[in-house]
Amino acid sequence: MATSTVSSSQSTDHSTAPALSMLDLVPARRNDGPQQPFVNAVELAQTAERTGYQTMYYAEHHNMPEIASTATAVLMGHVAARTETLGMGAAGVMLTNHAPLVVAEQFKMLEALYPGRIQLGLGRAPGTDQATVRALHRSPEAAEHFPSDVMELLGYLDGPSRIPGVEAFPATPDATIPVTILGSSLYGAQLAAKLGLPYSFASHFAPTHLQEALEVYRSEFKPSERLEKPRVTVAVGVVAAPTVSEANQQFQHALRRRVQSMLGRHRPQPFTEAEIDQILQMPAGNQVRNMMSYSAVGTPDRVVEQLKSMAAETQADELILAHQAVAHEDRLASVIATGEAWQK
């Protein structure tokens, strides 16, 4: 079993394979009860732990009925209590939705409860639509404050606090919670480089600027007390199945589900299959295809070949796999098959 956390002061030797982790968006389906997504999430994490994955990541989303990962820190604690060594990561917390002090308190509490297993990824997007942005009481200038919010948060985690007399508790004096900047553009790459923090690119849904962002991050990186050398994480969509035909079929099902969730949100009735066919021939459908284009699809051995090729192209220290099969049983099978083939 791989250790649950990679030291933030290390960078992978690229003569060896990068770490393999996983992103779970905790999908909620129309006929599921409220607990079922979290039952599935625990089973998925336990399966990933047994199969050699390093970390399970969860992402903050709001007002999306098909995604149940709304309260990221709560979810991480729930799953951590039901696993043993698997790392628990946020990928991420949308910091501009929250006070840095509250995020620091939540993650220091998680670290106190599950020492050495907690990681924090920070994003500046709202993770939702504009109506929900207003409901979150997020100011229009929130994104502009992201760098200063990150610095304030780091002060609570590492000291000294940037606000005299205010500290984040519980105290965790012997722990350094790894902090990563998330992004899908050059902005996050530049900020991570400037602050000397790891950088994670969301290529599983926004691959357009992947190589450019990584080049900017590495060329502009400045060492810090947290990180001596650049450290890169790349997210990849995955569908592994016994045959190529099955894998392609599952991927197409996931593509159609993405069209439904992205373009059919707030509709009283879901799109029909014929309507989805039409949308996939339109620019909006092509946009969804492009979002999912950075994916490894096929038999387990073929998926691993694609993943290793992506790792070589990006020189990634860690790959985060977003297993895209819609059926829970197919996702579990994809997780197991990929993990076992990766370790051969």
Side-chain angles (χ1 to χ4, degrees):
M1 176 68 65
T3 57
S4 60
T5 304
V6 171
S7 169
S8 59
S9 65
Q10 295 177 348
S11 182
T12 297
D13 176 359
H14 292 291
S15 63
T16 61
L20 202 67
S21 295
M22 183 176 165
L23 172 68
D24 182 11
L25 295 180
V26 194
R29 296 173 178 82
R30 287 178 179 270
N31 297 323
D32 284 347
Q35 293 183 341
Q36 192 60 48
F38 309 111
V39 172
N40 292 349
V42 169
E43 185 177 14
L44 202 69
Q46 291 172 339
T47 301
E49 183 172 60
R50 290 194 302 269
T51 320
Y53 289 75
Q54 177 175 276
T55 303
M56 182 66 74
Y57 291 98
Y58 301 102
E60 175 184 345
H61 293 82
H62 300 283
N63 197 31
M64 297 182 183
E66 69 280 1
I67 297 178
S69 57
T70 52
T72 313
V74 175
L75 179 59
M76 290 170 61
H78 175 74
V79 179
R82 290 156 179 82
T83 51
E84 296 180 3
T85 61
L86 187 67
M88 293 286 117
V93 166
M94 302 298 104
L95 183 58
T96 45
N97 292 344
H98 311 280
L101 175 61
V102 173
V103 176
E105 290 172 338
Q106 290 173 347
F107 278 77
K108 292 184 84 169
M109 182 176 291
L110 285 169
E111 173 62 28
L113 291 169
Y114 309 103
R117 296 177 60 191
I118 304 303
Q119 301 184 41
L120 173 57
L122 301 173
R124 68 173 182 138
T128 188
D129 55 51
Q130 289 304 308
T132 312
V133 166
R134 293 192 292 273
L136 288 167
H137 293 188
R138 173 181 162 127
S139 73
E141 301 82 20
E144 298 175 13
H145 300 158
F146 183 59
S148 60
D149 286 345
V150 173
M151 293 302 296
E152 182 181 340
L153 175 60
L154 290 174
Y156 294 132
L157 295 180
D158 300 342
S161 172
R162 295 174 69 86
I163 301 180
V166 178
E167 303 289 346
F169 295 101
T172 52
D174 299 324
T176 298
I177 300 172
V179 174
T180 299
I181 300 296
L182 312 179
S184 57
S185 67
L186 301 186
Y187 178 90
Q190 292 169 327
L191 181 62
K194 180 180 179 180
L195 299 181
L197 293 174
Y199 179 56
S200 182
F201 194 90
S203 35
H204 65 298
F205 74 84
T208 304
H209 300 291
L210 171 61
Q211 289 295 348
E212 186 180 6
L214 297 187
E215 289 173 8
V216 166
Y217 171 65
R218 291 187 172 112
S219 64
E220 298 184 8
F221 180 84
K222 296 179 180 179
S224 68
E225 292 184 1
R226 278 181 162 261
L227 193 65
E228 296 175 359
K229 300 177 182 179
R231 187 176 194 280
V232 166
T233 300
V234 172
V236 183
V238 169
V239 176
T243 67
V244 172
S245 176
E246 289 177 82
N248 288 333
Q249 186 176 31
Q250 290 181 23
F251 182 78
Q252 289 302 313
H253 191 189
L255 174 65
R256 299 173 76 85
R257 176 70 176 262
R258 185 73 62 90
V259 169
Q260 190 76 259
S261 64
M262 287 188 58
L263 305 179
R265 191 182 305 168
H266 307 314
R267 282 173 55 94
Q269 295 294 329
F271 289 125
T272 65
E273 292 301 307
E275 287 173 329
I276 293 177
D277 287 337
Q278 292 180 334
I279 292 170
L280 286 172
Q281 303 306 314
M282 300 166 61
N286 287 332
Q287 182 181 6
V288 177
R289 290 183 195 275
N290 291 336
M291 289 178 65
M292 296 180 65
S293 63
Y294 203 72
S295 296
V297 180
T299 61
D301 289 343
R302 177 57 183 146
V303 164
V304 167
E305 288 177 10
Q306 295 174 68
L307 292 177
K308 289 184 176 179
S309 176
M310 292 169 173
E313 290 172 357
T314 60
Q315 290 292 284
D317 300 282
E318 180 180 10
L319 295 178
I320 300 180
L321 309 189
H323 288 271
Q324 295 172 326
V326 173
H328 179 60
E329 294 75 14
D330 291 336
R331 287 185 80 205
L332 288 174
S334 184
V335 168
I336 294 169
T338 304
E340 291 178 346
W342 183 262
Q343 296 181 62
K344 287 183 180 178

